[in-house]
Amino acid sequence: MEAMTDGAYRVEHDQSKNLLAYNAMISKFIDHSEEIEFRTAEIASLKFPLKLSEVTQVDSKRSPAVQLADLMIGAAIEGANTMAGLRTGGLDPEEISKIYAEDQFIHMSPMIDFEENRRFRKGWRSSEMIDYFTEHLSDRGKAPGA
């Protein structure tokens, strides 16, 4: 979403206990004002400060946009499961992929196990990004009483 917009934007997300667990971290990301960019792969980067200004949770029953997003992600997950052989008789993954631009397929893992992330991303600038997050955006990087 950062790459798709020129200015500030906000996100409405369906109410989720999982997302609530990340509210503090998301707020730290949004509030982080230091200018820095991490190129983590040929097609992936993260640049601070973020253009993202707010993430709110809404009742999907009252938000047509969130209902549509839920349908689209459900179809994408079903297609991926079919493509991976985890499901049969589901939606055709080739047909589903036609509604997305090639650069819209992303993978986000809300993992805060920094050591596992560092091991997994070794060799990319991602390991530097994980070190940066540990130092600047996590409670682990703060001095006691800070």
Side-chain angles (χ1 to χ4, degrees), residues 51-80:
K51 298 175 207 170
L52 177 63
S53 63
E54 180 182 19
V55 176
T56 58
Q57 293 195 42
V58 299
D59 182 349
S60 64
K61 294 175 186 168
R62 296 193 169 121
S63 174
V66 173
Q67 288 176 12
L68 179 60
D70 283 349
L71 285 170
M72 291 180 71
I73 192 60
I77 289 169
E78 184 173 329

Side-chain angles (χ1 to χ4, degrees), residues 16-67:
S16 160
K17 289 180 184 175
N18 289 335
L19 185 60
L20 279 175
Y22 294 101
N23 273 351
M25 184 174 284
I26 291 168
S27 293
K28 287 180 184 181
F29 277 49
I30 290 170
D31 295 340
H32 192 68
S33 60
E34 184 175 334
E35 290 188 22
I36 189 164
E37 182 172 5
F38 297 97
R39 192 116 186 104
T40 57
E42 186 176 324
I43 61 168
S45 66
L46 180 63
K47 182 178 181 179
F48 287 98
L50 298 176
K51 298 175 207 170
L52 177 63
S53 63
E54 180 182 19
V55 176
T56 58
Q57 293 195 42
V58 299
D59 182 349
S60 64
K61 294 175 186 168
R62 296 193 169 121
S63 174
V66 173
Q67 288 176 12

Side-chain angles (χ1 to χ4, degrees), residues 4-136:
M4 295 171 67
T5 183
D6 292 328
Y9 67 98
R10 53 187 291 279
V11 170
E12 286 189 355
H13 192 286
D14 193 8
Q15 293 171 335
S16 160
K17 289 180 184 175
N18 289 335
L19 185 60
L20 279 175
Y22 294 101
N23 273 351
M25 184 174 284
I26 291 168
S27 293
K28 287 180 184 181
F29 277 49
I30 290 170
D31 295 340
H32 192 68
S33 60
E34 184 175 334
E35 290 188 22
I36 189 164
E37 182 172 5
F38 297 97
R39 192 116 186 104
T40 57
E42 186 176 324
I43 61 168
S45 66
L46 180 63
K47 182 178 181 179
F48 287 98
L50 298 176
K51 298 175 207 170
L52 177 63
S53 63
E54 180 182 19
V55 176
T56 58
Q57 293 195 42
V58 299
D59 182 349
S60 64
K61 294 175 186 168
R62 296 193 169 121
S63 174
V66 173
Q67 288 176 12
L68 179 60
D70 283 349
L71 285 170
M72 291 180 71
I73 192 60
I77 289 169
E78 184 173 329
N81 284 334
T82 302
M83 187 180 292
L86 301 173
R87 162 178 253 153
T88 59
L91 298 172
D92 181 352
E94 297 297 323
E95 289 300 313
I96 293 169
S97 68
K98 290 178 183 177
I99 66 173
Y100 295 95
E102 191 171 311
D103 63 353
Q104 289 177 321
F105 284 102
I106 60 171
H107 173 73
M108 294 178 63
S109 175
M111 183 190 328
I112 56 174
D113 181 342
F114 296 121
E115 294 304 319
E116 173 59 18
N117 253 316
R118 183 180 292 117
R119 184 203 60 75
F120 177 73
R121 299 174 187 281
K122 188 174 183 168
W124 293 96
R125 188 146 190 238
S126 298
S127 62
E128 293 175 43
M129 181 177 70
I130 298 303
D131 290 341
Y132 184 86
F133 286 0
T134 302
E135 183 178 341
H136 297 278

